[in-house]
Amino acid sequence: DRDGDYEVYVMDSTGLNHRDLTSNSARDGSPAWSPDGALIAFDSDRDGNDEVYLMNADGTGATNLSSRSGRDFSPEWSPDGENVVFTTDRFGALELAVMDADGTNVRQLTANGVTSSKATWSPDDQTIAFESNADGDFDIYTIGADGTGMAKLLDLPGDQRDPTWAHNGAAIAFQSSHQGNLELYMVKPD
């Protein structure tokens, strides 16, 4: 928010040489690098509502992948670089959807009628972990990349949020408020 709105920046590994890739008056955020490092998916409201965009790693060539009149945001690449999972309201509530990396072939992943978001792919491309308030509080769920086999990973009081897979797929880290303050935990995905 250096210039009054959110932008996508890059910097070198020393934390220096910040460069604004999306310099405009809109809110740009939730950047996700493609597995090969050539592209960045991100969300932006530059067209008046939240959309998923794709740009080259140097900030050029921004293209609207979702181009519709609802909310599409929080993109995350599949490890093979062929798909992007994102949160959308196109099916009613905030649900998860998957599209091909070029924005085509959008398919609904969850159908909970409640908020499902913060999706993250397993390293083998087969499973997606996400947060949802399907049972009231936010909890961590998994679902097959084809939309089958949704399962709640654990049942704790409070909110469990922001899942992320270990690189070897053996665990999912998440934050939890179940003991009264926000702490990090891990759970096995099976």
Side-chain angles (χ1 to χ4, degrees):
D1 191 17
R2 295 172 183 222
D3 62 356
D5 62 325
Y6 292 98
E7 304 290 352
V8 175
Y9 283 81
V10 292
M11 64 183 154
D12 63 29
S13 60
T14 66
L16 302 175
N17 300 311
H18 302 106
R19 195 164 43 104
D20 183 354
L21 297 181
T22 59
S23 185
N24 62 64
S25 61
R27 184 209 46 80
D28 301 305
S30 303
W33 288 95
S34 63
D36 66 4
L39 301 168
I40 300 172
F42 65 102
D43 57 43
S44 177
D45 64 1
R46 64 183 65 188
D47 288 333
N49 60 298
D50 293 326
E51 301 278 5
V52 174
Y53 282 78
L54 187 65
M55 68 179 160
N56 296 316
D58 65 1
T60 62
T63 304
N64 186 336
L65 291 184
S66 55
S67 195
R68 56 178 288 279
S69 63
R71 295 182 64 205
D72 296 322
F73 58 97
S74 295
E76 187 68 36
W77 288 90
S78 62
D80 65 8
E82 294 183 13
N83 295 288
V84 175
V85 64
F86 61 101
T87 303
T88 182
D89 68 357
R90 66 179 69 205
F91 308 111
L94 290 176
E95 302 282 3
L96 297 181
V98 176
M99 64 180 152
D100 293 351
D102 64 0
T104 62
N105 194 24
V106 176
R107 50 234 182 252
Q108 185 173 2
L109 194 64
T110 60
N112 301 328
V114 296
T115 299
S116 296
S117 61
K118 304 286 181 113
T120 179
W121 291 83
S122 63
D124 66 3
D125 282 315
Q126 300 301 304
T127 308
I128 296 169
F130 62 99
E131 65 180 44
S132 179
N133 63 349
D135 292 334
D137 292 333
F138 277 92
D139 289 300
I140 306 301
Y141 291 78
T142 57
I143 193 167
D146 62 358
T148 62
M150 186 171 125
K152 186 176 182 179
L153 285 185
L154 66 165
D155 193 11
L156 298 171
D159 287 333
Q160 283 55 245
R161 304 197 74 163
D162 297 317
T164 189
W165 287 87
H167 289 288
N168 65 4
I172 298 171
F174 63 96
Q175 62 180 357
S176 176
S177 64
H178 82 273
Q179 292 187 347
N181 52 331
L182 204 54
E183 296 180 6
L184 294 177
Y185 291 87
M186 288 194 325
V187 62
K188 290 185 179 182
D190 46 7

